[in-house]
Amino acid sequence: MSALASIDPRDWIRDVPDFPKPGILFKDITPLLSAPKVFRAVIDQLAEQFAGRKIDAVAAAEARGFIFGAPLALALGVAFVPIRKPGKLPYQTVSLEYALEYGTDRLEMHDDAVGPGQRVLLLDDVLATGGTMRACHDLVQQTGAEVVACAFVVELSFLKGREMLEPCEVSSLIIY
């Protein structure tokens, strides 16, 4: 049985109004991270969802995706693949530029992190509009690897990020 059976992680997510700009209600995960039992329960629940599935690696975008991605990879007994902003990785990389609301951004990962035939679980803390996760998805597929699913701790369903990720499987622990 999951440790989440007795812990509701929603109780550990703080609403911060008007951050990062007026009109936004920010879902702050730092209280959850400050409570080791709750943090472990979240990782355990994610691991339970994907246990028994053939997964070779968990990949996550910096920075908050790393917080959940690395312990999930350990729990599943698979590799962790960091996806980073340009110029942060020391070895040869593959990269992908993607559109933002105003402008573009770029993500990179080591070119030998995953490859053909490997199955990758993508993870991030929050699913909002889905743009960053879509870029992670496309970057992983660029290597020939297969994306098994896109997983999130929190999903802001009113922003319709799932639509950006179709037809990929999407899994979220907490949906607002």
Side-chain angles (χ1 to χ4, degrees):
M1 177 186 267
S2 169
L4 274 180
S6 62
I7 296 173
D8 185 353
R10 289 174 195 265
D11 295 339
W12 296 87
I13 297 174
R14 173 175 40 211
D15 287 344
V16 180
D18 299 320
F19 184 84
K21 62 184 183 180
I24 303 290
L25 181 62
F26 187 82
K27 297 295 186 182
D28 180 13
I29 62 165
T30 56
L32 182 151
L33 299 174
S34 72
K37 288 181 183 176
V38 180
F39 187 16
R40 177 172 297 281
V42 166
I43 298 301
D44 289 348
Q45 179 66 28
L46 288 165
E48 285 174 18
Q49 284 185 6
F50 295 99
R53 293 181 66 176
K54 183 179 176 341
I55 295 171
D56 299 302
V58 172
E62 67 176 89
R64 292 182 311 223
F66 289 8
I67 295 168
F68 296 97
L72 179 59
L74 286 173
L76 293 173
V78 301
F80 175 70
V81 176
I83 299 176
R84 304 213 54 197
K85 302 251 186 230
K88 301 290 185 179
L89 293 170
Y91 189 65
Q92 297 170 16
T93 61
V94 292
S95 66
L96 181 87
E97 186 171 296
Y98 64 104
L100 298 170
E101 187 175 353
Y102 301 104
T104 61
D105 207 347
R106 179 174 290 281
L107 292 173
E108 297 181 341
M109 70 180 188
H110 282 144
D111 67 359
D112 62 354
V114 294
Q118 291 190 293
R119 295 172 47 86
V120 179
L121 172 63
L122 295 174
L123 179 69
D124 207 352
D125 65 328
V126 175
L127 172 57
T129 62
T132 300
M133 185 57 81
R134 180 83 236 178
C136 290
H137 177 280
D138 294 349
L139 182 61
V140 166
Q141 283 197 320
Q142 182 177 302
T143 70
E146 176 187 347
V147 175
V148 174
C150 296
F152 303 90
V153 177
V154 174
E155 178 178 347
L156 306 176
S157 62
F158 59 92
L159 293 174
K160 303 188 184 311
R162 279 179 184 255
E163 293 175 10
M164 176 73 84
L165 301 173
E166 290 177 350
C168 189
E169 175 187 338
V170 175
S171 174
S172 301
L173 291 183
I174 301 165
I175 299 175
Y176 291 103

